[in-house]
Amino acid sequence: MDWAIPCSACLTLGCFFSYKLSKVMMKLRRFYFILMASFGFAACDNYLDVVPDNVATIDNAFSMRSTAEKYLFTCYRYLPPHGNATNNPAFTAGDEFWFYTPFIGFTAPGWQIARGNQGVVTPILNYWDGVTQPFNGIRDCNILMENMHRVPDMEEVEKRRWVAEAKFLKAYYHFWLLRMYGPIPLIRENIPVSAGVEEVKVRREPVDDCVAYIVQLLDEAAADLPNSIEDEQNELGRITRTIALSTKALVLATGASPLFNGNGEYTGYKNVDGQSLFNAEYSAEKWRMAAEACREAIELCHEMGLSLHRFSEGIGQFELSPETVTQMSIREAVTERWNSEIIWGNTNSTAVALQREATPPLDPANLSNQNTKGNLAPPIKIAEQFYSTHGVPINEDKTYDYAGRYELREATGADKYRLQEGYTTAGLHFDREPRFYASLAFDGALWYGQGKRDDDDQWTVRSKLGQPQQKISSNRYSITGYWPKKLVNYQNTIGTGSTYTIRYYPFPVMRLADLYLLYAECLNEFSGPGDDVYEYLDRVRERAGLPPVLEAWNQYAREPDKPTSQDGLRSIIQRERLNELAFEGHRLWDLRRWKRAHSELNNPITGWDIDQDAPENYYRVRTLFNQSFQMRDYFWPISESSLIRNRELVQSPGW
C-alpha cells in the first residue's frame, strides 16, 4: 500500500464526511422528482436512508442533533473537487496542462474541452445535470435551512451556525455554476410538491441578479458563522466567516470583470420572454464594491492571524540556502496543511492522486515505481510566463536574452540551488524568478524533498532519452518536458517497489496571496494606480523574492512607466496572479473573467522534443496541438435533452 489515510483526528472533516454520508442518504422523492424535472435530471433511489429502515421522511433527518448533523454533511458533499484533475475543469480544460495522445493515464474529460470537443448532446464535465450536480446540493441546503428549527436537542446559536453553513454552500454552488454557465436559475426555495407542471420549469436569471443573490446569501451566512474554527481536531474544513467574506470578494470581483460587466457580446442573449440576461452597460461601481469586500475580508484575515507563509530556515541538521527557503515558502503555501496563509482548504479534496500525477520517477534506483506517474505536463508557454530574476516578464526585461532563450547553456556554481551544476539545458531555465524554480521541474532542474533534506544534495531531473526521467512507459511521462513541482508536498517519500508515501493536504481553494492580488486588481480597476495597489502587489512579490513593482520596472523594463498607468498596471497584476497562483485552479477562471481566453487559448501548445538524447535535439520546440477557443466557449452548453424537457431554458450563446 503506497499511502495511508490518517484517522479522523488527523483528517478532520474530510474523513468523517465519507463515513457518515454512507449512513445519511434517504429517499426524498416528494421534492426530488419535482425539482429534477426542472433541469431534466434522471431520478435516483439512493437518497438519505435514515433509521428506521425504509422510512423516508424529513422528520427523521431533523428529529435530533446527530441526524441533523449528518444532513449538514450531506450538504458539504457536493463541494467541487478542487484538487482533482479529473473533475475540476480548471486543471485540464484550459492550457495549463497537456497530455500525450492517446492519453491512457487518469480520466481527464476536461482535456477534451481544451481540445475543442465540447458538445450539446452529451456535454463534457456537465455540472448542470451530471457530475456532482450542484443543483442537488442547493436543494439539500434548502431542506436543511427550512427544517433546522425543528431539531429539539440543540441550542439556537448552533442551529444558526449550521443554517449559515448551508447558506454559504448554497451560495457557492450557485457561484460554481455561474462561472461555467453564466446566467443560471436561482433556486431561492425548493419547489413544493403541489407545484404544477409549468411552475417547475425554471429559467435563467440575469447575471447581475445572480451575483446579487449569491452575495446576499454570503452576507446572511457571514453574520452567524464563527470567525475561525476553535475545535480544529474535529471541524477544520468547515465554513467560517473568514471564508464567507473572502468568497464574497471573489464573487464581486468576478461580477465586476469584463466577461460579466458591460459585455456587449451578449446584448442579444435573452430568455424566451425577451428578458435580457446581460447588462451591456459598464459599471465602475462594481469594482468599488469588490474592492471594499476585499478590504473587509483582508482585515478579518489579519485579525485571525493569517499571514503569507514562510518556510522554516532549517530542517534538522541541515541549514538551507536563502534560495531554497524562498522556493519552499512558495511551495508550502500550497502543500503545507493549514499553514498561516490558508483561508479555505477543501478537506473533501486532499490532493493525493494529484501529487502522483505531478511527480516524475525521481529515484534512478526505483524507476519502476508505478505511483510516480508524472503525467501533468505544463506547456512551454507556461514556463515562459514566469518573470526573470528581476521580477519583470522575460520579453520585457532589457537585460534578458529573450531571443536566445532556446539556446543551450551550462549551469555554473552560481546556479547551484536552481540547476544542476555542469548540466546543459535551455537558456529559458536560467535567470528566472524563484516561483519558476519552485513551481516547475524540467531537464536539469533540482527537486528538493522526496526524502532529500540537504539542499546541497537534491534530486536532479534528467529527462532526455536514455536518462532516468525520460518516457518510462506509455502512461508515465510528461509530453512537454515540464512537471508542476509546486503541487507536490516535499515530505512525500519514494520507497522501495511501488511505495510512494504521500502527505495529503486539503487543497487550497483560497489563500491570502490570492486575496491580496484580488484587492490590488479591484483597486486599480476602480481608481487606477495608487499606494494601496502597490502595497498589496509588493507584499506578494516580496515573499516571492522579487523587488517592488515600481523599482523592478524602473530599473529593468523596456517600458519603465508601465506600472504608473491603469492599463499597464492591469497587465502586471494579471501576470502576477498567473505566476503566483499557477497550477492551483485559477488560470482558466481568471482568463475567462478577464475576457482574455479567446486570445490566450488560441495559440499552439508546445513542448520540447522529448524523444531525443542530445541536448541540441531535445531542446527543439515541438508543436503538440493548435488550440482553438471560440467566443461560445466562454460558457458551457446545456444538454439538448434538458432543453427539450424545459422549454423555458435557453441555450448558451453560440451552441
Side-chain angles (χ1 to χ4, degrees), residues 246-258:
S246 300
T247 302
K248 173 185 172 181
L250 175 61
V251 171
L252 285 170
T254 300
S257 297

Side-chain angles (χ1 to χ4, degrees), residues 256-426:
S257 297
L259 182 62
F260 296 102
N261 187 4
N263 188 346
E265 298 284 346
Y266 298 123
T267 53
Y269 188 9
K270 300 179 179 181
N271 269 328
V272 292
D273 62 355
Q275 180 188 34
S276 294
L277 296 175
F278 270 80
N279 184 351
E281 183 177 348
Y282 171 79
S283 170
E285 174 66 9
K286 293 179 180 179
W287 284 114
R288 186 201 65 76
M289 294 172 61
E292 177 62 22
C294 288
R295 183 196 59 76
E296 184 181 5
I298 288 171
E299 288 179 352
L300 182 57
C301 286
H302 290 171
E303 182 182 336
M304 293 299 102
L306 271 66
S307 62
L308 296 181
H309 178 67
R310 308 282 178 168
F311 184 67
S312 171
E313 294 188 13
I315 300 284
Q317 72 270 36
F318 300 113
E319 285 297 323
L320 304 182
S321 66
E323 291 93 334
T324 301
V325 170
T326 298
Q327 291 181 39
M328 291 307 301
S329 293
I330 296 162
R331 288 177 62 183
E332 274 206 334
V334 176
T335 64
E336 177 61 19
R337 303 175 189 168
W338 309 117
N339 67 73
S340 64
E341 190 169 338
I342 300 297
I343 296 173
W344 182 14
N346 186 349
T347 53
N348 282 1
S349 190
T350 53
V352 173
L354 188 69
Q355 295 186 71
R356 288 197 191 104
E357 304 300 336
T359 308
L362 292 171
D363 187 354
N366 188 18
L367 297 179
S368 63
N369 190 321
Q370 293 294 315
N371 285 302
T372 51
K373 302 290 188 181
N375 291 323
L376 291 173
I380 289 177
K381 65 190 289 187
I382 303 300
E384 293 184 333
Q385 164 189 291
F386 290 91
Y387 292 145
S388 72
T389 191
H390 297 134
V392 299
I394 57 175
N395 62 326
E396 297 181 33
D397 189 333
K398 59 188 178 183
T399 71
Y400 189 87
D401 183 12
Y402 184 73
R405 66 193 184 280
Y406 301 147
E407 296 177 3
L408 300 181
R409 286 175 59 181
E410 182 177 308
T412 68
D415 305 302
K416 66 176 295 186
Y417 296 115
R418 298 180 292 276
L419 302 168
Q420 177 61 47
E421 186 175 355
Y423 199 89
T424 298
T425 185

Side-chain angles (χ1 to χ4, degrees), residues 417-594:
Y417 296 115
R418 298 180 292 276
L419 302 168
Q420 177 61 47
E421 186 175 355
Y423 199 89
T424 298
T425 185
L428 183 65
H429 302 154
F430 290 81
D431 306 316
R432 305 300 298 277
E433 64 161 310
R435 286 180 300 203
F436 175 81
Y437 301 105
S439 301
L440 289 167
F442 47 84
D443 182 51
L446 299 177
W447 190 306
Y448 180 82
Q450 274 48 62
K452 288 183 176 282
R453 300 298 180 90
D454 182 354
D455 64 350
D456 286 319
D457 178 28
Q458 303 184 51
W459 298 107
T460 300
V461 177
R462 297 178 174 90
S463 54
K464 294 186 288 293
L465 186 66
Q467 294 182 322
Q469 284 75 50
Q470 70 173 100
K471 181 163 57 175
I472 300 297
S473 64
S474 61
N475 66 342
R476 294 175 58 214
Y477 68 99
S478 163
I479 190 63
T480 65
Y482 290 97
W483 291 269
K485 177 169 62 174
K486 178 185 186 181
L487 296 177
V488 182
N489 192 304
Y490 84 98
Q491 298 183 70
N492 297 352
T493 54
I494 302 169
T496 59
S498 291
T499 301
Y500 184 31
T501 303
I502 294 177
R503 180 178 167 84
Y504 81 93
Y505 56 90
F507 197 81
V509 183
M510 180 172 279
R511 55 188 178 91
L512 193 59
D514 179 3
L515 191 56
Y516 282 175
L517 293 174
L518 205 62
Y519 187 34
E521 177 185 351
C522 295
L523 287 173
N524 182 62
E525 293 298 335
F526 178 64
S527 56
D531 290 343
D532 283 348
V533 182
Y534 299 134
E535 176 187 350
Y536 283 92
L537 187 56
D538 288 341
R539 288 188 185 194
V540 176
R541 289 173 62 88
E542 187 275 331
R543 195 268 301 277
L546 299 176
V549 63
L550 289 174
E551 176 185 323
W553 258 260
N554 183 57
Q555 293 186 24
Y556 300 107
R558 292 188 174 89
E559 298 180 48
D561 294 333
K562 185 175 181 179
T564 63
S565 72
Q566 185 181 51
D567 289 345
L569 192 54
R570 174 186 301 119
S571 175
I572 292 170
I573 293 170
Q574 291 182 359
R575 175 67 70 91
E576 198 73 41
R577 282 188 64 84
L578 296 178
N579 291 349
E580 175 66 27
L581 303 173
F583 312 135
E584 296 179 49
H586 295 276
R587 176 181 171 87
L588 179 65
W589 302 125
D590 277 345
L591 291 179
R592 286 157 60 93
R593 71 179 177 87
W594 293 332

